[in-house]
């Protein structure tokens, strides 16, 4: 091949790709999708259509491939509308879509994300032209594609390389994206009332270590109060320590509570208020230095022979939970 012929051939290839790009448009929020080309064939489906010109003559407006399988065993089919899917979006175009098959066999509320590509082989370029998009598939919308996949005149003109001997080759590739991310829902609650409870911790004069109250239910969660009569940590020996503890909370759930704890002594009540996000890993929160031991020791109450009376008030402000 001489130099002039080679230059002429290269210019034709460049012109064809430019023409291809300008004639392929997409639908909806994918109007900015641009044409790509590649050498290797689609991984999941090759769909050859022979006697393409007879489709219009025979009034065939829709053709479907056989069922094919992508990763994770999902079933699909390729749907081609040779005269466009509708006159509004697909006029003068060939439309191409991918649809999830056997949806009745999927679990209720199924949903997944997938990267889908639809191909058309260009014999002249010896490449596969394709458009690619990302889509969330679910029962309400199990189908997605391009209403303006290619201008029909561009496809049917043999000089463009898509239609050879009145036959063309479409293709499809689907990769389901495994969702390993965290999905959560944060709910804020309108606080109209608070839960109030009086708890008794008996035989408090004999306590050397922590003592838990009985469990109680508040706002669909279980709670208990933990008291350290002689303190904990740096406050040991100088202060009474008190903590509110949530019981049996799921590892994928958090509860934001506004709460107060009061301790009765000498006909008085010492009360502290706090606000905290409770979780399985952070289930206890309160006051290491709730009240000095010296304040309550002479009363004969908390460290005396009488029971220790604790007042608890809880309001739930928000709940963070995982969702399917």
């Amino acid at each position: 091949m001489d130099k002039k012929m080679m230059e002429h051939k290269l210019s034709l290839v460049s012109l064809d790709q430019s023409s291809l790009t300008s004639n392929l448009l997409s639908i909806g929020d994918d109007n900015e999708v641009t044409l790509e080309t590649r050498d290797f064939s689609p991984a999941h489906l090759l769909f050859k259509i022979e006697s393409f010109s007879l489709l219009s003559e025979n009034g065939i407006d829709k053709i479907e491939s056989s069922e094919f399988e992508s990763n994770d065993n999902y079933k699909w089919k390729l749907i081609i509308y040779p005269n466009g899917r509708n006159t509004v979006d697909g006029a003068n175009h060939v439309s191409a879509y991918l649809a999830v098959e056997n949806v009745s066999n999927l679990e209720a509320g199924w949903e997944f994300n997938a990267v889908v590509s639809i191909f058309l082989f260009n014999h002249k370029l010896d490449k596969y032209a394709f458009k690619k998009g990302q889509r969330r598939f679910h029962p309400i919308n199990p189908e997605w594609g391009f209403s303006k996949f290619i201008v029909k005149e561009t496809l049917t003109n043999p000089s463009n390389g898509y239609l050879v001997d009145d036959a063309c080759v479409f293709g499809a590739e689907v990769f389901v994206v495994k969702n390993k991310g965290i999905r959560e829902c944060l709910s804020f609650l309108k606080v109209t009332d608070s839960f109030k409870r009086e708890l008794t911790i008996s035989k408090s004069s004999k306590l050397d270590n922590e003592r838990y109250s009985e469990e109680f239910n508040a706002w669909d969660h279980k709670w208990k109060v933990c008291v350290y009569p002689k303190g904990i940590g740096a406050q040991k020996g100088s202060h009474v320590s008190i903590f509110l503890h949530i019981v049996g909370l799921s590892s994928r759930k958090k509860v934001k509570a506004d709460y107060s704890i009061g301790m009765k002594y000498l006909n008085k009540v010492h009360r502290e208020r706090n606000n905290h996000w409770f979780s399985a890993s952070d289930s206890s929160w309160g006051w290491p230095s709730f009240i000095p031991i010296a304040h309550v020791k002479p009363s004969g109450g908390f460290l005396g022979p009488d029971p220790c009376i604790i007042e608890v008030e809880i309001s739930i402000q928000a709940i963070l939970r995982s969702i399917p």
Side-chain angles (χ1 to χ4, degrees):
M1 181 182 297
D2 60 29
K3 183 177 180 181
K4 288 185 178 181
M5 291 181 64
M6 182 177 295
E7 290 175 349
H8 178 65
K9 183 176 182 179
L10 289 174
S11 65
L12 282 176
V13 172
S14 176
L15 177 63
D16 287 338
Q17 287 191 295
S18 174
S19 175
L20 184 63
T21 304
S22 63
N23 283 301
L24 279 176
L25 302 174
S26 58
I27 185 175
D29 58 0
D30 290 293
N31 284 332
E32 301 302 320
V33 173
T34 58
L35 173 72
E36 299 180 65
T37 60
R38 76 183 197 194
D39 292 322
F40 56 96
S41 60
H44 298 130
L45 174 71
L46 279 176
F47 185 46
K48 185 177 182 179
I49 303 173
E50 295 182 336
S51 304
F52 188 85
S53 61
L54 295 181
L55 296 178
S56 296
E57 293 182 21
N58 293 330
I60 299 174
D61 295 323
K62 178 182 178 180
I63 50 179
E64 299 179 358
S65 73
S66 298
E67 180 184 282
F68 67 93
E69 187 175 296
S70 67
N71 63 320
D72 287 347
N73 300 317
Y74 286 103
K75 310 293 184 181
W76 303 80
K77 66 180 177 183
L78 176 65
I79 306 173
I80 305 297
Y81 298 87
N83 299 311
R85 185 172 185 175
N86 56 65
T87 56
V88 177
D89 293 327
N92 304 315
H93 286 77
V94 174
S95 304
Y97 289 80
L98 283 166
V100 183
E101 283 286 271
N102 299 328
V103 294
S104 60
N105 295 333
L106 300 177
E107 61 183 14
W110 65 271
E111 178 182 309
F112 59 86
N113 300 319
V115 179
V116 300
S117 301
I118 299 177
F119 297 79
L120 181 61
F121 185 61
N122 189 302
H123 295 79
K124 180 179 290 187
L125 302 178
D126 193 29
K127 292 180 181 290
Y128 288 90
F130 69 98
K131 280 195 169 184
K132 177 172 64 176
Q134 301 177 22
R135 179 69 177 180
R136 179 172 63 93
F137 291 87
H138 51 87
I140 298 176
N141 201 348
E143 183 177 317
W144 184 82
F146 304 97
S147 63
K148 296 180 179 179
F149 181 70
I150 186 171
V151 175
K152 186 172 183 179
E153 184 179 351
T154 301
L155 186 150
T156 56
N157 187 339
S159 65
N160 289 326
Y162 299 112
L163 200 65
V164 175
D165 297 329
D166 204 21
C168 57
V169 179
F170 284 86
E173 207 169 71
V174 185
F175 294 100
V176 176
V177 180
K178 294 183 179 180
N179 191 352
K180 296 182 179 180
I182 295 174
R183 302 178 64 175
E184 295 179 322
C185 176
L186 177 61
S187 301
F188 289 94
L189 307 180
K190 185 177 181 180
V191 180
T192 58
D193 199 1
S194 60
F195 172 89
K196 297 180 181 180
R197 179 76 175 264
E198 189 173 90
L199 306 170
T200 300
I201 299 180
S202 61
K203 299 180 181 180
S204 53
S205 60
K206 298 181 181 180
L207 292 179
D208 291 323
N209 299 316
E210 75 273 15
R211 184 68 178 269
Y212 288 96
S213 72
E214 69 269 22
E215 290 184 5
F216 59 92
N217 291 316
W219 309 113
D220 297 324
H221 295 90
K222 292 183 178 181
W223 307 82
K224 58 186 177 182
V225 173
C226 180
V227 179
Y228 294 83
K230 295 186 178 181
I232 188 174
Q235 310 305 323
K236 192 172 182 66
S238 63
H239 287 76
V240 176
S241 304
I242 296 183
F243 297 86
L244 179 64
H245 183 81
I246 194 167
V247 181
L249 193 66
S250 165
S251 61
R252 296 298 303 277
K253 190 175 185 180
K254 293 183 179 180
V255 176
K256 190 174 192 294
D258 183 82
Y259 64 97
S260 69
I261 294 180
M263 189 182 74
K264 290 185 176 181
Y265 72 103
L266 293 175
N267 296 320
K268 300 178 182 179
V269 177
H270 177 76
R271 185 177 301 278
E272 297 286 350
R273 181 171 293 276
N274 208 337
N275 191 287
H276 184 64
W277 275 104
F278 289 88
S279 65
S281 61
D282 192 8
S283 60
S284 185
W285 200 257
W287 301 267
S289 55
F290 183 78
I291 189 171
I293 294 175
H295 287 191
V296 295
K297 189 173 182 179
S299 69
F302 184 67
L303 295 177
D306 299 328
C308 171
I309 306 300
I310 300 294
E311 295 179 346
V312 180
E313 184 175 349
I314 303 175
S315 296
I316 302 299
Q317 297 178 319
I319 296 176
L320 179 67
R321 68 184 187 277
S322 62
I323 56 178

